[in-house]
Amino acid sequence: MTADFDRLRQADLPEVRAAIRAGRYTGHTAGLGRGYLQANLVILPEAQALDFMRFCQRNPKPCPLVGVSDTGDPMMHTLGRDLDIRSDVPAYNIYRHGRLDGTTTDIADLWTDDMVAFALGCSFTFEHALMQAGIPLWHVGNDTTVPMFRTSIPCVPAGPFAAHMVVSMRALPEGRVDEAVALSRRYPLAHGAPVHAGDPAAIGIADIARPDWGDPAPLPGGHVPVFWACGVTPQVAIEAAAPPLCITHRPGHMLIADIPEAAEVPVLAPQAA
Amino acid sequence: MTADFDRLRQADLPEVRAAIRAGRYTGHTAGLGRGYLQANLVILPEAQALDFMRFCQRNPKPCPLVGVSDTGDPMMHTLGRDLDIRSDVPAYNIYRHGRLDGTTTDIADLWTDDMVAFALGCSFTFEHALMQAGIPLWHVGNDTTVPMFRTSIPCVPAGPFAAHMVVSMRALPEGRVDEAVALSRRYPLAHGAPVHAGDPAAIGIADIARPDWGDPAPLPGGHVPVFWACGVTPQVAIEAAAPPLCITHRPGHMLIADIPEAAEVPVLAPQAA
């Protein structure tokens, strides 16, 4: 796996996608397809699709919608010229009635003609912008998963979808916080500006050393914990809604689109007929 | 009407909304409820709602979604504490099978429990930003309607919804174009950056002096025609889809939300229970 990953990091997007599609690569996607938009994935039956789409519209910071398939069509036409949602994500989680029921690397046998696939923007986009500005991100430098926490911030519900917001935390040097806020605000499709900076208790986090997901990260002196809305939030909403079947990406194993990550609009122009 | 309008321009938002709700004011909303987000309105039966929402997601520059009601609920909870879509817009257009079939000032008798209301961002927001930067807008200074044109730019279709993009044109001094692009790009929920600047023929506009909607505007020497995606586009898509019933705002007679127009996210926080 490691050898594959090191080689794929140098590869262009078509080669990366071919390796994922063929099942030759089933690992995480951080650092792959550099410069291209990566996205969280949620697949639901059409019966839940309108409510889920309303949940995303009402909670755009945790759930920034970047693509939606036609019902029953596994090709994500607005995100790629040849992007098959059944095979082009390295690994998938399968939820039945809101509970994780397994992991797989291809969902061709699960896809049915009433399904709708949703792609949601992820934090990689604004993290790249922060790093390019020279703002250090501890979890990247130390190859761990960013710490994520349940909060007391209520999302706006839609039908059966309801959640308290999940956030990710990055400890930033005090003097760089304003800059990080301004920079990430430029990426509304990648969670936008932080939802909070400072006292974790103010948003219902009891112990900053014990994340609910991901790995703990230090909070050194002179640093401020900065909290961004997190793409794990829809997973919590899906647990609450408990649809008969829901398929997501496996965390960290993202959909990589043909769209440059800094694109103003995450939509391929229609091809001439 | 003029006296009403002059008085309402000085009024705060609750007074403006009360006048509209009571039917005492049925005119256009430019200059009313200053500082608050104004929006285009589209109301459709739920059977068309998912496809229309996909059309908006795929064409965010002409159709920036800022709010969606629950099915059958006329209160736009995310856009106002007490915002009733049946009465709180000054005037409505009624389309049957894609054709304009009348205008009214209250739709309480037309609202049914399978309806979904969509609010779409409008150009007022970025126009205010341009004017604050000292960029002159001829149609505002001359109290005319901005000229709008059909183009050859295809939208991405969704189900029965399909259109070529409609654009609005503002002639800007050559030296201010880059600034106008950068400024309006900051407002993705108000059409974002222009889709074109320069030769009208490049986007299929044969005669810049003859707009398809609105009033002609001059193109003086040293000025460049700058084209933004326009909120009339969904109206063209609705004509194509020809749903049995569709209700929109009457052009210029917008929904005014409780949301500040510069808000990062056009969503009221849920109230404490």
Side-chain angles (χ1 to χ4, degrees):
Chain A
M1 188 67 79
T2 306
D4 261 353
F5 183 72
D6 287 343
R7 202 178 56 73
L8 273 184
R9 277 176 71 134
Q10 313 304 323
D12 61 7
L13 181 55
E15 189 180 338
V16 171
R17 186 167 300 151
I20 292 171
R21 180 174 293 188
R24 291 196 308 273
Y25 183 75
T26 59
H28 73 77
T29 53
L32 292 189
R34 271 164 195 267
Y36 286 96
L37 183 71
Q38 298 206 15
N40 299 288
L41 171 68
V42 172
I43 299 174
L44 285 165
E46 191 183 61
Q48 277 82 43
L50 181 60
D51 276 328
F52 184 72
M53 210 163 166
R54 281 190 275 229
F55 185 80
C56 294
Q57 192 279 323
R58 293 172 188 180
N59 301 284
K61 294 186 80 138
C63 308
L65 211 46
V66 298
V68 186
S69 77
D70 286 321
T71 303
D73 186 347
M75 305 308 291
M76 303 291 285
H77 298 288
T78 59
L79 292 177
R81 294 280 174 231
D82 175 31
L83 179 49
D84 187 331
I85 207 62
R86 298 169 298 185
S87 55
D88 293 353
V89 169
Y92 303 82
N93 276 349
I94 301 160
Y95 290 83
R96 295 189 192 273
H97 304 287
R99 299 183 65 137
L100 184 62
D101 188 49
T103 291
T104 182
T105 59
D106 185 296
I107 55 163
D109 56 332
L110 290 168
W111 182 266
T112 55
D113 63 10
D114 74 328
M115 283 183 169
V116 181
F118 298 91
L120 310 179
C122 83
S123 56
F124 288 158
T125 302
F126 81 77
E127 287 189 339
H128 292 168
L130 297 183
M131 289 187 287
Q132 278 179 347
I135 297 175
L137 296 176
W138 189 87
H139 71 285
V140 176
N142 291 274
D143 201 19
T144 63
T145 302
V146 72
M148 292 164 269
F149 300 88
R150 296 182 189 270
T151 72
S152 56
I153 304 170
C155 289
V156 184
F161 296 96
H164 283 89
M165 195 183 292
V166 176
V167 298
S168 57
M169 189 280 285
R170 291 160 188 82
L172 302 186
E174 220 165 321
R176 310 295 303 264
V177 172
D178 288 351
E179 190 186 351
V181 170
L183 264 175
S184 57
R185 190 181 162 129
R186 286 191 210 158
Y187 299 94
L189 296 179
H191 304 307
V195 293
H196 181 63
D199 182 15
I203 55 171
I205 298 173
D207 187 350
I208 197 71
R210 293 169 167 262
D212 295 297
W213 294 269
D215 300 311
L219 184 52
H223 284 61
V224 176
V226 182
F227 300 93
W228 275 268
C230 173
V232 170
T233 310
Q235 188 177 309
V236 175
I238 288 160
E239 285 166 16
L245 177 63
C246 175
I247 302 167
T248 71
H249 68 293
R250 190 175 163 199
H253 300 59
M254 317 301 279
L255 169 66
I256 310 178
D258 292 8
I259 311 279
E261 69 176 354
E264 185 190 10
V265 161
V267 181
L268 288 180
Q271 283 188 295
Chain B
M1 189 64 80
T2 307
D4 261 354
F5 182 71
D6 287 343
R7 200 178 57 73
L8 274 185
R9 277 175 70 135
Q10 313 305 325
D12 61 7
L13 181 56
E15 188 180 338
V16 171
R17 186 168 299 151
I20 292 171
R21 180 174 293 187
R24 290 196 309 273
Y25 183 76
T26 59
H28 72 77
T29 53
L32 292 188
R34 271 163 195 266
Y36 286 96
L37 182 71
Q38 297 206 15
N40 300 288
L41 171 67
V42 172
I43 299 173
L44 284 164
E46 192 183 60
Q48 277 83 42
L50 181 60
D51 276 329
F52 183 72
M53 209 162 166
R54 280 191 274 229
F55 185 80
C56 294
Q57 192 279 322
R58 293 171 188 181
N59 301 284
K61 295 186 80 139
C63 308
L65 210 47
V66 297
V68 186
S69 78
D70 285 322
T71 304
D73 186 347
M75 305 308 292
M76 303 291 286
H77 298 286
T78 59
L79 292 177
R81 293 280 174 231
D82 175 31
L83 180 49
D84 187 331
I85 206 62
R86 298 170 299 185
S87 56
D88 294 352
V89 169
Y92 302 83
N93 277 349
I94 301 159
Y95 290 83
R96 293 188 192 275
H97 303 288
R99 300 182 64 138
L100 183 62
D101 188 47
T103 292
T104 182
T105 59
D106 187 296
I107 56 163
D109 56 332
L110 290 168
W111 182 266
T112 56
D113 64 9
D114 74 328
M115 282 182 168
V116 182
F118 298 90
L120 310 179
C122 84
S123 56
F124 288 157
T125 302
F126 80 77
E127 287 189 339
H128 292 168
L130 297 184
M131 288 186 289
Q132 278 180 345
I135 297 175
L137 297 176
W138 188 88
H139 72 285
V140 176
N142 291 273
D143 201 20
T144 63
T145 302
V146 72
M148 291 164 269
F149 300 87
R150 296 181 189 271
T151 72
S152 56
I153 304 169
C155 289
V156 184
F161 296 95
H164 284 88
M165 195 184 292
V166 177
V167 297
S168 57
M169 188 282 283
R170 291 160 189 81
L172 303 186
E174 220 165 319
R176 310 296 301 264
V177 172
D178 288 351
E179 190 186 349
V181 170
L183 264 175
S184 56
R185 190 181 163 131
R186 286 192 210 157
Y187 299 95
L189 296 179
H191 305 308
V195 293
H196 182 62
D199 182 16
I203 56 171
I205 298 173
D207 186 350
I208 196 72
R210 293 170 167 261
D212 295 297
W213 294 269
D215 300 310
L219 184 52
H223 284 60
V224 175
V226 182
F227 300 93
W228 276 268
C230 174
V232 170
T233 310
Q235 188 177 308
V236 174
I238 288 160
E239 285 165 17
L245 177 64
C246 175
I247 302 167
T248 71
H249 67 294
R250 190 176 162 197
H253 300 59
M254 318 300 278
L255 170 66
I256 310 178
D258 292 7
I259 311 279
E261 69 176 354
E264 186 190 9
V265 161
V267 182
L268 288 181
Q271 283 188 295

